[in-house]
């Protein structure tokens, strides 16, 4: 098997020595070309070249969820074709690694490499669904290019938190769960729209859902992790279905306390519920419109402000080694 290893040298939980050990372990089982990313978007470019190659059968992403997202968008730049495109394998190297853990992989890079080699020997793989987000037709965001996401997207409050975390990381702060909690509290205190929502969710054949403060779009479950604790925003979300949505219409102090507690105690059977919570399951096509520009994130990557985003849930989009 000919494979391409895409390694992010800035990955939070791996060192240069660890990456060398993992590279040698993988190279012992396959014909491996290893490339270290050098700029933002490099992993996407490498994934695209692999998709256009007739020889590469597997792309291994060594890094966090951002690296995985770039590789996936490169692989699927011309659209999904699981039977023709190279398969994807993930070795987690970030601080959270939601996609890898949702696939059932160990959160340790060395253990995950061992699991990957076992899966290759035993020919274990699955085809997963993905989400696609694009600018909504007829809006000022119409020209925004489409982009795939592997586990979640968000418009509003949660995306604002992601943006604040990225700002802190650019100032030299480490990406820790404590950093996320602190930025969540600051976003809550300073968000001007948390009491009166500006977002409307539209979908074919149903009445619009209006006055939403935040909207979390899930492609799988858990939504994220706080340390080793999984948080289930949409417990029914799955790689085998389309997209799920958890939306909130109010973020008062009491509402935040209630829904935060429900998230921290959520299970695969039960997520946040209440009169200000809207849960939708297995949506293949819907659009979020906002009266004002709001922060937007995909797979934990802040993408700026948006007023309209169209979402598509695509089943059987990518072949993954597990």
């Amino acid at each position: 098997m000919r494979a391409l290893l895409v390694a992010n040298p800035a990955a939070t939980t791996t060192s240069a020595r660890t990456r060398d050990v993992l590279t040698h372990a993988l190279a012992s089982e396959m014909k491996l070309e290893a490339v270290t990313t050098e700029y933002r978007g490099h992993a996407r470019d490498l994934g695209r070249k692999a998709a256009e190659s007739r020889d590469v059968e597997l792309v291994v992403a060594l890094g966090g969820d951002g690296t995985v997202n770039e590789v996936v968008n490169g692989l699927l730049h011309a659209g999904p074709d699981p039977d023709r495109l190279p398969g994807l394998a993930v070795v987690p190297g970030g601080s959270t690694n939601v996609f890898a853990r949702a696939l059932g992989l160990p959160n340790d890079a060395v253990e995950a490499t061992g699991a990957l080699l076992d899966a290759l020997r035993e020919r274990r793989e699955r085809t997963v669904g993905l989400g696609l987000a694009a600018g909504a037709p007829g809006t000022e965001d119409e020209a925004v290019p489409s982009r795939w996401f592997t586990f979640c997207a968000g418009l509003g409050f949660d995306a604002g938190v992601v943006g604040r975390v990225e700002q802190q990381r650019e100032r030299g702060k480490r990406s820790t769960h404590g950093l996320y909690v602190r930025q969540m509290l600051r976003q809550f205190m300073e968000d001007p729209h948390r009491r009166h929502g500006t977002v409307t969710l539209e979908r074919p054949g149903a009445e619009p859902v209006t006055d939403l403060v935040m909207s979390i779009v899930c492609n799988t479950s858990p939504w994220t992790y706080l340390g080793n604790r999984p948080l289930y925003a949409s417990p029914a979300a799955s790689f085998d279905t389309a997209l799920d949505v958890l939306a909130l219409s109010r973020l008062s102090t009491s509402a935040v306390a209630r829904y935060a507690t429900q998230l921290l105690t959520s299970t695969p059977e039960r997520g946040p519920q209440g009169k200000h919570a809207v849960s939708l399951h297995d949506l293949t096509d819907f659009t979020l419109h906002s009266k004002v520009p709001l922060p937007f994130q995909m797979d934990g990557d802040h993408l700026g402000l948006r007023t309209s985003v169209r979402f598509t849930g695509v089943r059987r989009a990518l072949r993954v080694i597990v």
Side-chain angles (χ1 to χ4, degrees), residues 7-12 14-16 19 35-38 62:
N8 181 1
T12 307
T14 58
S15 64
R19 289 191 295 273
V35 180
T36 300
T37 57
E38 299 177 355
L62 170 53

Side-chain angles (χ1 to χ4, degrees), residues 145-185:
S146 60
R147 179 166 172 170
W148 297 91
F149 60 96
T150 63
F151 65 91
C152 84
L155 181 68
F157 182 84
D158 76 304
V161 176
V162 170
R164 288 175 178 270
V165 170
E166 287 193 4
Q167 288 178 350
Q168 294 299 312
R169 293 187 65 183
E170 290 172 357
R171 296 170 183 168
K173 301 287 187 179
R174 289 197 59 189
S175 179
T176 63
H177 299 293
L179 178 63
Y180 274 89
V181 172
R182 291 193 298 273
Q183 299 312 311
M184 181 185 69
L185 293 174

Side-chain angles (χ1 to χ4, degrees), residues 23 28-30 45 58 71 109 130 133-134 159 165 192 195 205 244 255 278 285 288 313 321:
T23 299
S28 68
E29 299 288 337
M30 62 190 77
D45 295 341
L58 176 69
V71 169
L130 297 174
V165 170
R195 291 185 179 274
D244 282 27
V278 177
D285 185 16
L288 296 177
I321 308 301

Side-chain angles (χ1 to χ4, degrees), residues 132-148 296 298 303-310:
L132 183 66
T139 71
E140 61 185 61
D141 291 325
E142 182 176 8
V144 175
S146 60
R147 179 166 172 170
W148 297 91
F296 179 59
M298 295 174 65
L303 299 178
L305 302 178
R306 300 282 181 85
T307 55
S308 296
V309 186
R310 180 176 179 177

